[in-house]
Amino acid sequence: MEKTNQTKSNCKKGCDCNIIHKETLEEVKAKMPNDNLLLEMADFYKALSDSTRIKIIAALAHNELCVCDISSLLNMTKSAISHQLQNLREMNLIKGRKAGKEVFYSLADRHVEEVFEVSKEHVLEELNEKESKN
């Protein structure tokens, strides 16, 4: 037991230990997603790595909107918004619904909104912690 506690303490400092915890590693290996899934997940996060796309996701979390609405909301050209919407559609984060000549965009499913909300909560907690330290 003492050695385990000492190892955990060393690991917090930068892990200068040489102990391999084989049982733990085997358990983690068995639960790790495959490489293809991890690559797809990385692409998902890349799609969210642009502040304009995040703003679009935030807006669509409240209501479906057309390009003109989003363009007006974000004070950007329709062309710039259309480009970002295309990226989000390609990543299956949003979907379009045609109504006459207009296309109304919404989030693809509840998972997109959940990821957005959890991310927002995480960042808000971090910001609040920083503010409380100052």
Side-chain angles (χ1 to χ4, degrees):
M1 279 274 201
E2 266 183 59
K3 196 170 196 175
T4 304
N5 290 337
Q6 184 180 7
T7 302
K8 286 181 182 177
S9 176
N10 287 342
C11 288
K12 287 180 185 175
K13 294 178 185 173
C15 202
D16 60 356
C17 59
N18 291 317
I19 299 170
I20 302 297
H21 304 91
K22 289 182 183 181
E23 288 178 18
T24 303
L25 282 179
E26 291 303 318
E27 185 180 320
V28 171
K29 270 186 188 179
K31 293 179 181 179
M32 285 289 289
N34 68 48
D35 285 346
N36 288 335
L37 177 57
L38 292 171
L39 287 171
E40 289 293 324
M41 291 173 70
D43 285 342
F44 172 84
Y45 283 105
K46 281 183 203 173
L48 298 176
S49 68
D50 179 87
S51 63
T52 299
R53 291 192 291 265
I54 290 289
K55 289 175 186 177
I56 292 170
I57 295 287
L60 296 179
H62 295 287
N63 206 346
E64 69 175 9
L65 299 167
C66 72
V67 174
C68 294
D69 294 332
I70 300 168
S71 172
S72 176
L73 178 68
L74 302 184
N75 197 27
M76 296 177 67
T77 66
K78 289 191 291 186
S79 175
I81 295 300
S82 292
H83 176 74
Q84 297 300 345
L85 289 170
Q86 180 180 353
N87 288 334
L88 291 168
R89 278 186 88 165
E90 287 172 0
M91 291 305 303
N92 298 314
L93 298 176
I94 64 168
K95 60 187 176 184
R97 176 184 64 82
K98 198 158 179 126
K101 292 183 179 183
E102 293 179 289
V103 178
F104 288 89
Y105 294 93
S106 60
L107 299 180
D109 57 37
R110 67 178 172 78
H111 299 110
V112 178
E113 185 173 3
E114 288 172 3
V115 168
F116 176 77
E117 289 300 323
V118 168
S119 301
K120 185 171 77 174
E121 286 176 31
H122 174 72
V123 171
L124 284 171
E125 282 179 13
E126 294 297 314
L127 290 173
N128 288 336
E129 282 183 27
K130 285 180 184 177
E131 286 180 11
S132 67
K133 288 180 182 177
N134 292 334

